[in-house]
C-alpha cells in the first residue's frame, strides 16, 4: 500500500509538472504604457522611474472611472499636453508617442505578454537606449506592481485573469 501511495504521488507530480497552464492573453484592445530611459546609468534609470511614477499618477487620475478602451483613449489624447508638461519639467530631451508601438515578448510573474505592435503611451527619454519600464495601463494592470507586498506568481496570475475578465 505504501508503494502505491508513493507511486501515485510521483505520478501526480509528473502530471502537474507537464500540465500546460491556462494562458492569460492580454486583450488586443488593452493600452500599454512604457518609459524608456536615455541609458542604463544609475542617474538615467532613476530619472526614468521618477518620471514614470509622476506620469502614472497623473494618468490614473485622468482615467479613473473609465469603463472601456475608447474612453481611456479619448482621455489620454485630450490630455497629452499634461503628459508633455510633466516630462518637460525635468529638463531632459524626450518624445511622447501615443499610438501603435512595438513591444517585445515578456513573461512577467507567469503572464505572457506577446511581442507585437500595441496601442500605447510611450515616453522616450534622451536617446532611449536604456532599460525601460512598461505595464498595461488599461485594464489597469500597472497598479498591480505598485503593491509592495510580495505577491506570488500564482496570486498575480489569478488577479490578472480576474481583472481581464472584468473588462
Amino acid at each position: 500500500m505504501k508503494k502505491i501511495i508513493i507511486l501515485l504521488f510521483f505520478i501526480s507530480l509528473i502530471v502537474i509538472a507537464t500540465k500546460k497552464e491556462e494562458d492569460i492573453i492580454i486583450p488586443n484592445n488593452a493600452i500599454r504604457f512604457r518609459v524608456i530611459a536615455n541609458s542604463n546609468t544609475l542617474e538615467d534609470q532613476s530619472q526614468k522611474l521618477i518620471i514614470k511614477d509622476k506620469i502614472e499618477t497623473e494618468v490614473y487620475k485622468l482615467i479613473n472611472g473609465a469603463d472601456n478602451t475608447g474612453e481611456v483613449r479619448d482621455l489620454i489624447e485630450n490630455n497629452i499636453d499634461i503628459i508633455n508638461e510633466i516630462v518637460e519639467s525635468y529638463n531632459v530631451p524626450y518624445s511622447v508617442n501615443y499610438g501603435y508601438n512595438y513591444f517585445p515578448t515578456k513573461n512577467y510573474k507567469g503572464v505572457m505578454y506577446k511581442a507585437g505592435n500595441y496601442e500605447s503611451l510611450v515616453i522616450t527619454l534622451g536617446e532611449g537606449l536604456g532599460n525601460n519600464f512598461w505595464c498595461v495601463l488599461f485594464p489597469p494592470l500597472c497598479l498591480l506592481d505598485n503593491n509592495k507586498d510580495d505577491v506570488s506568481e500564482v496570486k498575480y496570475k489569478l488577479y490578472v485573469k480576474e481583472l481581464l475578465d472584468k473588462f
Side-chain angles (χ1 to χ4, degrees), residues 63-81:
I63 68 171
N64 188 28
D67 292 325
N68 60 60
T69 304
E71 286 180 46
V72 172
R73 180 181 303 119
D74 290 344
L75 288 166
I76 292 172
E77 288 174 343
N78 293 333
N79 291 284
I80 202 79
D81 56 326

Side-chain angles (χ1 to χ4, degrees), residues 24-32 69 100 111-114 117-119 136 138-141 160-161 163-167:
I24 295 178
I25 307 229
I26 304 303
N28 287 335
N29 63 344
I31 298 175
R32 295 181 182 205
T69 304
Y100 282 83
V111 177
M112 178 62 71
Y113 298 88
K114 293 184 179 183
N117 289 307
Y118 295 96
E119 184 173 0
V136 178
F138 188 83
L141 300 183
V160 167
K161 181 157 177 35
L163 192 58
L164 291 174
D165 289 345
K166 177 180 173 186
F167 290 97

Side-chain angles (χ1 to χ4, degrees), residues 63-104:
I63 68 171
N64 188 28
D67 292 325
N68 60 60
T69 304
E71 286 180 46
V72 172
R73 180 181 303 119
D74 290 344
L75 288 166
I76 292 172
E77 288 174 343
N78 293 333
N79 291 284
I80 202 79
D81 56 326
I82 292 171
I83 294 165
N84 276 299
E85 286 173 18
I86 291 168
V87 182
E88 200 169 280
S89 72
Y90 291 93
N91 295 319
V92 295
Y94 74 94
S95 66
V96 173
N97 179 334
Y98 183 73
Y100 282 83
N101 298 284
Y102 179 77
F103 284 73

